[in-house]
Amino acid sequence: MYASKQMIVMRRDLKMRKGKIAAQAGHACVDAVLRALAREGRLGQVRAGETGAFLEPGDMPATPLSEWFEKGEAKICVYVDSEEELLALHRRAQEAGVLSSLICDAGMTEFHGEATYTCLALEPLPRDRADELTGNLPLY
């Protein structure tokens, strides 16, 4: 049995407004989950249920992603204090074979027209695997 969680990593140094933080985190979470579903060939199996989205049972084995859907879609938000830290974590995730959705904001509302990396989200992972990548980061 998996105890999965999705990690969201925000750049605190940007001092984004609360609404901007929520929007950027949302972009990252959705993208990471959609990419994970597509990789597993399960994109068409997601549907809304009484307690939220879940995967219909099928002939595919349980994965951290399916367990995450079934057990409540835990999301944990942590932070880094620089673009360099964010990009380094993105590279470490890729090297570990973990899907990482890195979000680059176009800069239309907060960053003076400058494209800016704001956050990333990892695909839902077993807690120990997520902690290997982000366990040293403080809660946002």
Side-chain angles (χ1 to χ4, degrees):
M1 182 168 119
Y2 291 101
S4 301
K5 62 183 178 179
Q6 182 178 38
M7 299 304 299
I8 305 149
V9 182
M10 301 300 304
R11 278 187 58 194
R12 191 175 69 163
D13 61 305
L14 294 175
K15 300 185 183 343
M16 292 179 277
R17 293 175 291 122
K18 291 176 186 173
K20 186 68 163 183
I21 292 167
Q24 297 298 294
H27 291 319
C29 291
V30 168
D31 185 64
V33 169
L34 288 174
R35 290 178 21 182
L37 286 166
R39 182 192 60 213
E40 291 187 5
R42 293 180 172 209
L43 199 53
Q45 292 180 306
V46 179
R47 65 184 178 93
E50 293 176 7
T51 59
F54 65 94
L55 294 173
E56 293 180 14
D59 53 4
M60 298 179 106
T63 66
L65 181 63
S66 64
E67 292 288 334
W68 180 78
F69 273 114
E70 292 168 9
K71 306 253 192 274
E73 299 107 19
K75 296 167 201 73
I76 311 297
C77 194
V78 296
Y79 69 87
V80 294
D81 280 317
S82 70
E83 179 178 293
E84 293 77 21
E85 288 178 272
L86 189 70
L87 296 176
L89 177 58
H90 180 61
R91 281 190 301 276
R92 283 197 313 274
Q94 289 178 318
E95 290 166 1
V98 171
L99 291 174
S100 173
S101 178
L102 179 63
I103 301 302
C104 185
D105 185 76
M108 304 298 242
T109 60
E110 287 205 18
F111 305 117
H112 311 290
E114 301 267 338
T116 303
Y117 291 111
T118 57
C119 65
L120 65 77
L122 302 178
E123 66 179 301
L125 296 167
R127 290 185 183 279
D128 59 343
R129 188 125 191 254
D131 290 345
E132 288 172 13
L133 291 164
T134 60
N136 64 319
L137 298 176
L139 291 173
Y140 197 92

